[in-house]
Amino acid sequence: MIKAKKSLGQNFLIDKNVIKKIVNTVNIEKKNVLEIGPGTGNLTSYILEKKPKKFFAIEKDNELAIKLKNKFKNQINIINNDVLKIDETKLFEDDVIVFGNLPYNISTEILNKWIINLKDNFWFESLILMFQKEVANRIIADFNTSNYGRLSIICNWKLNIKKLCDIKPSAFYPKPKIESTLLFFYPKKNFIKINDPKNLEKITRIFFNQRRRMLKKPFNQLFNGNQNILNNLNIDLNLRPQNLSLDTYYRLTCEYEKLIG
Ligand code: SAM
């Protein structure tokens, strides 16, 4: 068996039932597919069986990329590169289904990059992604809970998110110390329009910088105590960042964009 590289977050899926569950989440036949981090190709083979239209896979590990090219020949386009450096929106002419048993050390960075870069047209029709359970819990957290924060707010802005299942460490080789969770993301038809998503990043960073502090300080820093905004959005400054709903953060970002012009 191949020696897994910890630095690249290599935990290969070996449980066939889990692999089948992932692949059967959506209908792949004649659809474009992008796989992030195909590794030894365990998930890749099953995706291929479902006869996708165009199939790209991005693998950073040089050694594995060569093996994958030999194994799958011209059935898949293997891109030997870092997913964080690729413009995946340019790979396909129409919508894509994205699969990824993601390297845990960069999973939130990948997702953040995709969401922040989203234009009005989505380049994917769904994302089926594996996360460390603790990270997945932060992504799907409701407001008024301790897991709620920047990640939940950014991820839920333009995407519907469903938890598919938790996955035990024994489904992987080598066995990770933590549990994993499979999430399914698909575009929202309606979402609050924000001109520059970087402003959403900024607002959430400032509000959640000190999550136990009351809202007064970050609000005044950004909005100079503007009473109209407080009234319109029904915000009580004695609350804490986790007590504001998703929509309140999106609307606060719109107000911020109006202020900065
Ligand atoms: N999909 C395979 C599976 O389920 O068996 C492997 C999953 S493993 C958790 C993560 C994979 O992502 C590894 O093959 C690793 O080499 C690759 N990887 C790590 N960092 C990457 C990056 N920045 N860009 C692309 N691939 C990366």
Side-chain angles (χ1 to χ4, degrees), residues 51-111:
K51 302 189 174 30
K53 186 162 93 180
K54 206 165 158 188
F55 188 178
F56 277 90
I58 307 174
E59 175 54 63
K60 186 174 176 184
D61 186 321
N62 302 341
E63 212 182 317
L64 288 181
I66 293 170
K67 288 204 161 89
L68 289 162
K69 281 180 190 171
N70 289 335
K71 182 170 177 181
F72 295 108
K73 304 279 186 288
N74 58 359
Q75 299 178 91
I76 305 173
N77 300 289
I78 307 286
I79 303 173
N80 183 198
N81 207 331
D82 182 339
V83 61
L84 294 169
K85 295 190 180 142
I86 292 257
D87 184 356
E88 51 288 299
T89 61
K90 300 255 159 63
L91 298 176
F92 303 89
E93 293 84 44
D94 40 16
D95 287 2
V96 190
I97 299 169
V98 182
F99 288 93
N101 172 14
L102 301 178
Y104 290 133
N105 48 350
I106 57 162
S107 62
T108 53
E109 219 178 321
I110 298 172
L111 194 57

